[in-house]
Every structure is written in structure tokens, then in C-alpha cells.
Amino acid sequence: MSTVSDWRNQADEQALVNDVSLDEPWPLVEKFNGLVRESGTKHEKRAFDYIGKRLKKHGVPHTIHTPTLLISVPRRARLEILAPERRLVTAKTPSMSLSTGGRWKRGQVAYVPTHHMGHIRGLFEGVGREMPEVVGKIVLTEGYASPGKVADFTKAGAIGAIFISPGDRIHEGICTTIWGSPDLDSWERKPTIPVVSVSKGDGAWLRDLARGGVVKARFSTKLDEGWVECPVCVAEIPGREAPEEFVLVHGHLDGWHQGIGDNATGNATLLELARVLWKHRDRLARTVRIAWWSGHSQGRYAGSVWYADEFGLDIDANCIAHINCDSTGCRWATVYEDIFWMSEAEGVGKAVIKDVTGLDAAGGRPLRAGDCSFSNIGVSTFYMLSSTMPKPLLEEKGYYPVGGCGANIAWHTEDDTLEIADRDNLLRDTKVYTVAAYRAANATLHPLDFRALADEMAGTLKAYGDAAGGAFDLSLPLAEAKALHADLDRWYLDRAGLDGRPASDPVVRAANATLRQLARVLVRINYTRAGRFRHDPAVDVPPLPDLAPAKTLAGIEPGGDRYHVTLTHLVRGRNRVTAALREARRLVAAP
Ligand SMILES: [Zn+2]
């Protein structure tokens, strides 16, 4: 048996699970139902005060920080079709889109078919195809106002965009590609066009009009944008053996409307987890930090990004893994599908769900979403969204994919109220998160199997190499990925005997420092391209993003600019990936 699947302490975990109840979580859910928790607002502050008060009552040490974040709160949107007939259409505007300040803008509508998201994985997709001429026009298209699509339309010269919601309700959202508050590198990517969304029915009518001839429209938006002091609450339960090493469990407190399934239930889970771990703190080998962020919904994860920046060096040195908690305990959410984990954490992610609930979990690579703000530092992660509705039930109800609420389409709408929460599911999911945090903190060796990541990378490199045909050679990094797997086999085997030793044991400490460094090196090349301590944009990130353009080579005419630019890009990417794999091998070669 490998050391990775061998860390479980069943008696302790059972004691924790037995203590998880709804006494603390459910009143939070009910309380939050009366608070619209937009980032940096009074209601949000009241929600943070509530969490602070409950933590204090249980004696859990915590700090409420007040960083200043760039926040954009949508206030009003109007859309009026002027020709071929006059009609007012109900509209909303997404956070971080350009505010017209309530002034009308007019133009001709150009329909650009994209598509509604077929799966939650499509949440950050761009247009992904050639576009017709849209310069000076208002683009009409399907789907959520995703950062990728808005950026593509802006680049193509559109003066505005109208998105057709997949349902009757218009879903709130945020459309910037800037991850967290901007810096000098990202500031220029601020969206520069106003954007509105309309319902499916209004959208279909508008689409038919646009297909039939010239459609003229005017629209106006109003958003409050500025640098706002926002609360971030972090509870810290110190470990007894190696307190500087910590697991970060976190979720966003701000949201849209009542935001019960997204994310009052997640906040309730975190509060209960804090209470139970504090009560059992004598069993905790390493520290668990529990964070409630502001700035997620109206600041593109600005709270977690602030934390990644402010505590970057500490996270770099000591963070074992981070676990995101969003949309736990929702109505009809009885299965664990679409659960996110990095390959090295798939084992622990699946095992915890199986052990606590008896259910098998399925999922894969984390999206560039959900406060996954620690990839540029190189921290492993598992979980993000929680349990979800079974596929047959979704089909039966005619539901389309959404980005939370356990797949309830109340997500990001006025309908996300108390009925979206489910007591039994909340209790079950809270147990899962409690064990996940405890197990990640208490495993003798951090529960991360980098052989799985080396395998994933080898698979990616093989696929990219095959797609490039003879045009680009990836055999060098592929050989390094395979060699890394072999080195890791030896490394884990050599440390199999450590199991049961305390976290403070110098040999255990050294082994875990190596595991954390492996994450720092490998997570960065598999999830990011921007520098360490920077933040990649909020757009889809393919595996080993430096080398993903190898897939496009076969479709590019050799000899031209595009071809040579792509080859130049790939040579640089191959250097970065190969050097990182060699660095990882050096880490595990050390005695
Ligand atoms: Zn959420």
C-alpha cells in the first residue's frame, strides 16, 4: 500500500463526523435569506458580523480583515428595440461591464450565433469561431455574458453586447477576464463595452427579428464601480504538531440576491467545520484556516486574490492544499458528479466522499473559476462545487447547466431562496468537508500523489505531440514526465515507513516540504502562464497551457506569420515545461 492512501485515522474521523449537526448551519442559512450580500455593502457586513459572532461564541480564533478591492455592482439596465418595431425588453447587466452611466447608446443589432453552455466546463469559453463583421454594432448572442465572449466581441469592434439567457430568468454574472483586483499587467483588460442580458423568450424574439432584417436598438446600463473596503474573515485552528503547515478551506460569502444555494449553504458548512475542528483541536496535527471571502461575485474573486497576495509568501512556504466550498447542501443534489480536483488530489477527494457518504464521486480538472486563486503560487486543490442533481433528474426537469446551486437553475437569480437549501444534503456535505479538511491536515504525508499528475502530464504531452504530427517535437518533456513518475515511485516507496510518525518528526517535515515544493513547480506549469504571485486571466486554461497551441499547428499553413509565431511560442513553452519537470525530478532525487 502506498503512503498516500494510508493516512486515514478512522476513529478520529468518526468522532468528528458524529459531532457535525445542523444546529449552527441552519440558522445561518435562515439568517442569510434576509440579507442580499453584495460585495462591500451593509448587508454583507451584517453577514460577516454574524459569522464573527458565532465564531466568538464557540471560541474559535479569527480575524476579520478589511482589504480595499475593486468592486462593480450592477444597478440597472434598460433595452429598447427601436426598429422594425418599438418594444421595451427586460434586461440586466453583468458586473464589471462598462457602465453607460444611465445614458442611452444606440446601434444596429448583429446576431452572432455562439451557443448556450453545454456543460459547466463551458463557463469561461470564448466565441471559438470566426466572427462576421460587427464593428460599430451591438452583438446579439446566446449564453451567459462570459469573459471570453465579451473579450472576443470587444476585440472585434462591437459597441455593446446582448446575451440571451438559457432560461426565463436572467442570471447575474461578471464579465471581466481580470482575476481579482487589477494590477498594471491586467488593468488594460478591463471590459470596455456595455453588456446586457435578456431572457430566453425575449432573446428568441429578438433573434428572429435580427435574422429577418435590420434591427435597431438602444440600451443603457448603470453600475457602481469603485475601490471598496470589503470584509474577509479567516478563522485559524492551530495544529499541535506542525502548526506552521496549514490547509486552507474557503468559500465566498458575497453573492447575488439571497444567494442561499450559492453560497449561504457553503458559508454554513464552513462555520460548522470551524466549530467541530475547534472542538476537536487536540486531534489536529497541522493548522486549518477557514476563510469567508468578499469580492467573489462583484469583484471576480477579489477577496481570495487579496489573500493570495497578502499572504503569498506564507502560502508558498506552508500551504498543504486549498479546498473550496461552494453550493453545498442544495435541493435534489444527491450525487457527487462534476467534482473538481487536481490529479494529485483525486485520490483524497474521492476517498473522503466515499468514506463519508458511501457514494462514488466523478469529476476532473478544476475550472479557472471559484476562488481557485492560488494556482500561480502552485497550491494543489480539490473540490469547488459540491453535490449536484443527478443527470436524469436534470433531463426530466428540462434544466440547463448552471455554475452552482447543485444544478438548480435558481442559480444567480432572485429564485435562489430558502427552498434551494436541503437539510439532509447540507448535513451530508458538511460532513464531507469536515473530514476533507481534517484528513488533509492530519495525513502523515500530505495526501497528494504526484504520480497521478506526472501521468496526466505525460498523457497531455502525448496528445499534443500526436496532434502536432511531425511539426513539433514534444518527446523531450514527455520523457521527463515518464522519468518523473519512476522517480516518484521510488520516493514514495522510500517513505512508506513514515506512516504513523508525528507531523513534527524532522523526516516527515522534510518529506512534506518536498511535496509542497512539487506542487509549487508542477501546478504552475499545468494551470498558469503568468508569473509566480501574479494571476492568470479568467478564461479557459487548457492543461500545460504553454504547449496547448501544438493542437492548432496542423490547421495552420506552414511558412506564414501565424505558423512561425506558433512555433516560437511552443519552443519557449517546451523549455518552461521541460525545465519544471527536471526541477521536480531534482526535488525527489535529493536524499
Ligand atoms: Zn458560488
Side-chain angles (χ1 to χ4, degrees):
M1 199 186 290
S2 84
T3 48
V4 173
S5 58
D6 195 39
W7 64 86
R8 190 162 187 260
N9 184 334
Q10 197 167 358
D12 278 4
E13 290 188 355
Q14 204 55 56
L16 261 65
V17 164
N18 291 343
D19 255 337
V20 173
S21 87
L22 288 178
D23 294 349
E24 197 57 59
W26 198 257
L28 181 150
V29 172
E30 287 179 330
K31 170 90 185 167
F32 279 24
N33 197 44
L35 298 170
V36 173
R37 304 175 304 284
E38 290 164 336
S39 305
T41 60
K42 272 189 197 133
H43 275 199
E44 188 204 42
K45 185 172 180 307
R46 272 165 60 186
F48 271 101
D49 288 345
Y50 177 85
I51 297 221
K53 224 167 59 193
R54 298 314 298 168
L55 288 170
K56 197 169 167 197
K57 159 133 198 329
H58 294 290
V60 185
H62 64 280
T63 308
I64 298 186
H65 306 273
T66 51
T68 301
L69 311 173
L70 182 66
I71 298 298
S72 158
V73 184
R75 291 300 177 206
R76 193 179 72 226
R78 293 180 296 178
L79 172 63
E80 186 177 10
I81 307 309
L82 303 169
E85 54 186 279
R86 253 187 127 95
R87 182 161 148 186
L88 273 171
V89 175
T90 305
K92 290 182 177 176
T93 185
S95 170
M96 295 289 177
S97 62
L98 185 71
S99 177
T100 74
R103 284 179 294 278
W104 290 105
K105 269 194 111 163
R106 57 175 68 214
Q108 192 181 320
V109 175
Y111 173 55
V112 178
T114 53
H115 53 78
H116 288 293
M117 168 173 107
H119 186 269
I120 185 173
R121 296 210 156 272
L123 204 52
F124 284 76
E125 270 172 5
V127 176
R129 57 193 281 281
E130 290 292 309
M131 238 186 289
E133 177 67 45
V134 298
V135 175
K137 305 235 173 93
I138 306 166
V139 169
L140 170 71
T141 195
E142 292 86 2
Y144 302 121
S146 74
K149 287 183 186 177
V150 170
D152 287 350
F153 294 144
T154 306
K155 210 157 70 187
I159 57 159
I162 305 168
F163 283 86
I164 305 171
S165 279
D168 298 334
R169 286 289 199 178
I170 305 170
H171 300 268
E172 310 284 354
I174 182 164
C175 71
T176 181
T177 64
I178 302 173
W179 192 274
S181 292
D183 64 9
L184 292 171
D185 293 338
S186 58
W187 177 242
E188 284 175 5
R189 296 202 315 270
K190 252 172 82 65
T192 51
I193 59 169
V195 177
V196 297
S197 295
V198 300
S199 73
K200 183 183 177 182
D202 287 339
W205 170 77
L206 200 46
R207 188 171 46 206
D208 286 347
L209 277 191
R211 275 179 176 145
V214 173
V215 176
K216 290 188 175 155
R218 61 175 192 163
F219 64 95
S220 74
T221 61
K222 178 106 177 55
L223 298 95
D224 288 340
E225 186 186 298
W227 294 85
V228 182
E229 232 179 56
C230 296
V232 161
C233 178
V234 183
E236 178 152 343
I237 304 169
R240 293 182 60 224
E241 297 167 6
E244 77 284 7
E245 297 173 16
F246 69 93
V247 176
L248 176 64
V249 197
H250 58 96
H252 65 94
L253 182 142
D254 65 290
W256 294 109
H257 306 288
Q258 273 86 347
I260 290 303
D262 186 5
N263 185 29
T265 50
N267 298 153
T269 291
L270 292 174
L271 180 59
E272 179 64 355
L273 180 145
R275 185 191 71 81
V276 171
L277 288 182
W278 176 251
K279 185 180 167 192
H280 293 272
R281 58 193 177 277
D282 57 328
R283 300 173 198 262
L284 210 55
R286 302 179 187 84
T287 295
V288 175
R289 292 187 195 170
I290 302 135
W292 292 262
W293 314 122
S294 174
H296 166 107
S297 312
Q298 294 87 19
R300 179 62 89 203
Y301 320 129
S304 59
V305 171
W306 169 81
Y307 194 76
D309 295 343
E310 195 67 19
F311 296 90
L313 296 173
D314 182 20
I315 293 165
D316 183 35
N318 297 311
C319 187
I320 298 162
H322 73 96
I323 304 171
N324 183 232
C325 179
D326 200 329
S327 299
T328 50
C330 288
R331 181 181 65 179
W332 305 323
T334 54
V335 295
Y336 293 89
E337 291 166 2
D338 301 329
I339 303 291
F340 297 140
W341 43 58
M342 289 183 179
S343 291
E344 67 275 21
E346 178 174 348
V348 65
K350 272 186 179 168
V352 167
I353 290 172
K354 182 80 178 176
D355 291 343
V356 175
T357 70
L359 297 170
D360 290 317
R365 181 181 171 85
L367 280 179
R368 181 98 181 112
D371 286 303
C372 199
S373 301
F374 309 93
S375 295
N376 287 77
I377 300 179
V379 184
S380 299
T381 187
F382 58 108
Y383 302 162
M384 184 181 294
L385 296 176
S386 182
S387 54
T388 189
M389 287 165 66
K391 296 258 156 26
L393 185 59
L394 289 173
E395 257 166 56
E396 187 192 311
K397 293 187 175 297
Y399 279 9
Y400 48 86
V402 291
C405 281
N408 283 278
I409 57 171
W411 175 72
H412 286 196
T413 75
E414 297 80 351
D415 297 337
D416 187 8
T417 54
L418 212 46
E419 63 179 2
I420 300 302
D422 179 286
R423 294 178 63 93
D424 294 341
N425 294 346
L426 182 57
L427 186 64
R428 184 201 59 217
D429 289 347
T430 301
K431 289 175 178 173
V432 167
Y433 273 89
T434 304
V435 171
Y438 173 82
R439 195 176 289 187
N442 268 47
T444 302
L445 288 188
H446 301 334
L448 303 169
D449 189 344
F450 288 99
R451 289 168 293 192
L453 183 53
D455 284 350
E456 183 205 315
M457 287 180 173
T460 303
L461 290 163
K462 173 89 172 53
Y464 288 172
D466 289 351
F472 193 73
D473 184 12
L474 289 172
S475 59
L476 183 63
L478 179 58
E480 292 292 343
K482 287 178 175 168
L484 174 62
H485 185 117
D487 293 348
L488 283 165
D489 266 337
R490 272 193 302 278
W491 189 90
Y492 281 107
L493 190 67
D494 285 350
R495 282 149 190 83
L498 296 179
D499 206 45
R501 289 211 215 168
S504 52
D505 183 308
V507 184
V508 172
R509 268 186 201 275
N512 283 324
T514 299
L515 287 171
R516 295 197 299 278
Q517 284 166 31
L518 280 171
R520 303 303 176 260
V521 171
L522 297 173
V523 167
R524 287 213 308 271
I525 56 164
N526 206 23
Y527 287 89
T528 73
R529 292 189 49 238
R532 196 176 175 193
F533 301 114
R534 300 285 174 191
H535 298 279
D536 274 53
V539 292
D540 244 358
V541 180
L544 296 175
D546 284 302
L547 297 173
K551 288 192 296 184
T552 66
L553 267 184
I556 303 174
E557 195 65 42
D561 278 349
R562 182 87 204 165
Y563 187 77
H564 287 292
V565 168
T566 305
L567 280 180
T568 306
H569 189 96
L570 286 170
V571 171
R572 292 172 188 168
R574 185 173 57 195
N575 287 342
R576 181 176 180 239
V577 169
T578 306
L581 289 165
R582 286 180 177 169
E583 194 184 340
R585 291 188 63 198
R586 269 196 302 277
L587 285 169
V588 291

